[in-house]
Amino acid sequence: MSILSEHDKLLIHEQFMELQLNCPRVTKKADKELIKKAFDFANEAHKDIKRRSGEPYIFHPIAVARIVSEEMGLGTVSICAALLHDVVEDTEYTIEDIKNNFGENIAIIIDGLTKISNVFEQDASMQAENFRRILLTIADDVRVILIKLADRLHNMRTLASMPPNKRMKISGETTYLFAPLAHRLGLYAIKSELEDLSLKYRYPKVYNEIEKKIQSKEKRRITEISRFSLPIINELDEADVKYEINGRSKSIYSIWNKMQTKNVSFEEVYDLLAIRIIFEPQKAYTEKTQCWNIYSMITDIYVPKPDRLRDWISKPKANGYEALHATVMNRNGKWVEVQIRSTRMDEIAERGFAAHWKYKGNHTAESELDLWIKKIREILEDSSSDAMQFMDEFKLNLFASEINVFTPKGHIKSMPKNATALDFAYEIHSEVGDHAIGAKVNHKLEPLSYKLRSGDQVEIISSEQQKPQKEWLEFVITAKARSAITKTIKAEISNRIELGKSILEKELKKQNVHPSSRVFKKLLPAYDVLNKDELYSKIGSEIISLDNLKKVLKKNSKNKWIQYWIPQFGKQKAQEKESSTKEDFDFKKPFVIREESDSKNISYRIAECCNPIPGDDVIGYRDENGRVFIHKSKCPEAIKLMSNKGNRIVSAKWTKHKILSYLAKISLSGIDKIAMINEITSNISKQLNINIRTFNFDVHDGIFNGEISLYVHNTADLNTLILNLSKIKGIDKVKREEISGS
Ligand code: MN
C-alpha cells in the first residue's frame, strides 16, 4: 500500500524521465541501468513519505540528481548517490543495504552525506568546527560535498514551504557555510543562487527593496552599457571574433553585502559598471593570445587603469578561475570593469572544475572526474597557503543573539552579540585581555572597542606594558571581561595606596612627626588632595613627591592652596579693562596641571578644541566657576579668549604625567608595501605607554596614507614614536595632527 496516487506516480515517472534526458555524461548502457536501479530503490524506500509541500518525497532526490548532473556536470556515481542520498537517513534501509545493492563507492558517499546531516542537528557553536572537520576527513570522496551542496540548493529553492523558524536556521547555515563552500569550489552560479535565496528569507524586506531599485535603474544601466560596448562590438565584428557581450549585473546579495561591509549606498555599488566579453576560441590562436588581443582592442578605445589589470590566465586562481580583468574609463570619466574570458573559461567560472572534463578531448571517463576531485581535495587539505582564507570564508551566524568568531588558528569562539575585541581577548585568557592594545580583525587593525561580527577572524595584539584601563569598562559586555578588569584596577589602586602609606610614614618618621589628624589637616590642602587615600595613592604612583615635606609641615595650614598667576599680557588687559574684578587667588605662580586620578576632583579640563597633551605649550583659561581650561598656546580659541578676557588667562605648567593618557593624532604616508601596517603597529606596540585608539589606512596607486589616533602620556613619548616611525623603510612622512573637536 502506498500513499501515492496514480497521478503522483505519473508525475514521478515524468520527473525521472527528465533526469534521464539530462545526463550528458552517462553514455554506457550499464550506467543508465544503474541510475534506473538507484531510482527504483529510492522510490520504493520513500514511497510512504511526502514533502512538507505535499509533493511525493522522491521529487527531492530526483531534483538533487538533476542539479548534480546538469548544473555541476557530474556522472553516474554522483547521480546514483544523489538519488539515494536520503534513504539511510529517512527510511529503514541501512548503509549495508546500499553497499549490497550499489557497491562500496556509492555506500561511502551515502555514509558521508548522512554524517554531514547529523552535524546540523547539533548546537550552533559546534557546527562550523565539526563541519570543517568533516569536510576535511570526508574528502575521501569530494562528491559527498558536491551532492550535499546540490541537496542544500534544492532545499533552498523549496524553502517557502518550511515553517519560518526553520527557514531562518536553514538560510543562516546556507549563508555562512554552504555559499562560501560553493565559492571555494568555484561553483559561482550555485554560490550566487544560494546567497540570494538566503538573503530573501533572512531579510525579505531588504531583498525586495534592492530588487525594486535594480528594476527601476535597469533601463539607464543598459543604455550606459550599450553606449560603452558599441565601439568594442564594432572592433570585435571586424576582427571576425565570435563573442557574447553582456553587462554583468551583480547579484542582489553581492550588492547588499557590499553596502554592508563598505558602508556605502545602493547607488555607489550599483552604479559601478562592469561588462563581460565571452569569446569563442579561434583555432589559429591560443586563448591567452586572444584574451590579450581583445584587451588591446579595448584599450585602443578606452584608457586603462594600469593598477587594476588582473591576469588570471597566466596564473589561474586556486579554484580554477581563469579570466582577464581590466578597468577602463568610459567617455563620461567613469571606471568600467571589463572581464575577458573564452567560452571554456566562462563555463569553468560558472560551474567550477566540473566543467573541465568537457574540454579535455574525448575522455569522458570517470577517471577525468577523479583528477578533478583530487584537485578539490588538495584545495580543502591545503593547510599552508590558503587554509586561513578558507576559514575566513566560513562564516557562522545561526542565532541572532550569538556570534561566532575565529581565532587566527581557526578555532571558533562563541560570543554574545555586541561583544568587542576586548571581550574576545578576555574570552581567550585574562592575561591576553589585560595586556591587549588592539586587534587585527580580518587582518585589519581595529581598536579594542571594535564590535565583532559573526565570521570575523580576530587576532589580539598585546604589549607587556599594557594594563587594564578604567575606560575599558565602557565597552566590554561580557561578565568575564568586566570582572577581570575591575579586579586588576582595584588591586592596583590598593597597591598604590599601600605603597604611598608606607612611603609617607617613613618620611614622617624621619622628621619625627607622628601621623596624627592634625598633621593630615596640613598635608591634604598642601598637596591638593581631598582625603588620605588620595594622598597615599598619589604618593604611591609618584604624582606627589615628598621632597618638600619638611617645608609643608612647618607651613601655616591657613594658606590658600590654589595658586594662579596672570601672565604679562593678561595682567595689562586686566588692569585696563576689568581691574575691579574680584579675584581671591594668589597670581604669583603658574597653574600646575597635576595628574588627577579621580575625575570628580579635577580642577582643570583639557580643552576639546585643541586637545593639548602634557609637554605642549599651554595656557589656562579660568571660567566663572573657577575651573581652568587648558588650551594649546597657539589654539585659535585661546587666542580669542586672551584678547577678550585676558584677566581670566593664567599661565599653566605640566607636572610629570605618568598615568593618564591623552588623545593625540598622527598622520603618516609612504610607499605601500606588504607588511607595512604590521611594521607600523608593532613599532607602536613596542613603545611604552602608547595605545592605539583608531587606525585608518588608505592605499591608492601604491601610496598609502594613514591616520592613527593614540593615547599618550606626553609629548616626549609622542615625539619618540614619530621619530621611530619615520625610520621605517618606505615611510615618507610622519607628523602630529591637530585634533579639532566639535
Ligand atoms: Mn536531501
Side-chain angles (χ1 to χ4, degrees), residues 360-427:
K360 300 270 169 117
N362 298 324
H363 302 284
T364 54
E366 207 82 350
S367 68
E368 191 62 42
L369 183 68
D370 288 343
L371 275 179
W372 170 58
I373 285 169
K374 207 174 141 232
K375 186 110 188 185
I376 294 180
R377 279 185 62 173
E378 280 165 14
I379 296 174
L380 281 170
E381 285 167 354
D382 178 6
S383 56
S384 57
S385 65
D386 252 351
M388 214 53 256
Q389 197 186 329
F390 178 58
M391 284 312 291
D392 259 356
E393 288 162 2
F394 260 97
K395 304 201 168 187
L396 183 76
N397 187 7
L398 306 182
F399 299 115
S401 60
E402 194 183 64
I403 57 166
N404 289 280
V405 292
F406 296 93
T407 68
K409 285 188 178 157
H411 295 298
I412 291 176
K413 295 270 173 206
S414 284
M415 307 285 301
K417 206 179 167 188
N418 290 328
T420 58
L422 187 58
D423 284 307
F424 176 83
Y426 276 104
E427 180 64 31

Side-chain angles (χ1 to χ4, degrees), residues 51 57 60-61 64 85-86 89-90 117 148 151-152 155:
R51 299 198 89 204
Y57 193 86
H60 168 64
V64 175
H85 82 271
D86 277 334
E89 204 187 338
D90 293 347
S117 286
K148 186 69 206 173
D151 179 35
R152 177 54 59 122
N155 284 336

Side-chain angles (χ1 to χ4, degrees), residues 84-90 95 104 106-122 126-127 129-141 144-145 148 151-152 177-178:
L84 295 164
H85 82 271
D86 277 334
V87 166
V88 173
E89 204 187 338
D90 293 347
I95 283 292
E104 183 89 36
I106 291 178
I108 287 176
I109 296 175
I110 305 295
D111 190 38
L113 285 164
T114 311
K115 275 187 195 146
I116 292 190
S117 286
N118 292 336
V119 169
F120 290 96
E121 301 305 319
Q122 295 171 344
M126 288 305 290
Q127 280 182 9
E129 182 58 24
N130 287 340
F131 187 69
R132 188 184 74 104
R133 213 174 288 149
I134 280 182
L135 289 183
L136 293 171
T137 52
I138 245 174
D140 288 336
D141 199 324
V144 171
I145 296 164
K148 186 69 206 173
D151 179 35
R152 177 54 59 122
L177 297 174
F178 290 96

Side-chain angles (χ1 to χ4, degrees), residues 279 286-292 295 310-317 320-325 339-342 344-345:
F279 66 89
T286 64
E287 289 176 36
K288 187 174 171 178
T289 311
Q290 286 180 84
C291 279
W292 286 107
Y295 171 81
R310 298 285 180 272
D311 175 9
W312 280 304
I313 293 170
S314 312
K315 195 175 180 304
K317 283 191 189 175
Y321 182 81
E322 291 174 67
L324 192 63
H325 292 192
Q339 299 184 350
I340 305 163
R341 304 171 176 171
S342 70
R344 178 190 65 84
M345 294 172 187

Side-chain angles (χ1 to χ4, degrees), residues 571-587:
K571 206 171 195 170
Q572 285 165 358
K573 277 265 158 76
Q575 282 164 348
E576 282 163 29
K577 281 187 181 172
E578 292 177 84
S579 52
S580 62
T581 315
K582 225 168 67 192
E583 304 287 3
D584 72 330
F585 293 103
D586 183 346
F587 292 114

Side-chain angles (χ1 to χ4, degrees), residues 221 225 228-229 246-250 270-276 326 335-339:
R221 184 184 176 85
I225 286 188
F228 175 81
S229 306
N246 54 52
R248 193 166 64 90
S249 59
K250 290 194 180 68
Y270 186 78
D271 290 351
L272 290 174
L273 297 178
I275 66 159
R276 183 175 289 157
W335 294 114
V336 181
E337 189 186 72
V338 183
Q339 299 184 350

Side-chain angles (χ1 to χ4, degrees), residues 25-55:
R25 299 200 51 201
V26 181
T27 47
K28 285 189 214 138
K29 199 170 166 232
D31 287 345
K32 288 180 182 170
E33 280 170 6
L34 192 66
I35 292 173
K36 177 75 168 71
K37 190 178 164 192
F39 164 70
D40 288 338
F41 192 96
N43 196 21
E44 174 63 23
H46 292 302
K47 71 173 190 296
D48 293 330
I49 323 166
K50 286 205 167 187
R51 299 198 89 204
R52 199 171 277 272
S53 58
E55 292 174 331

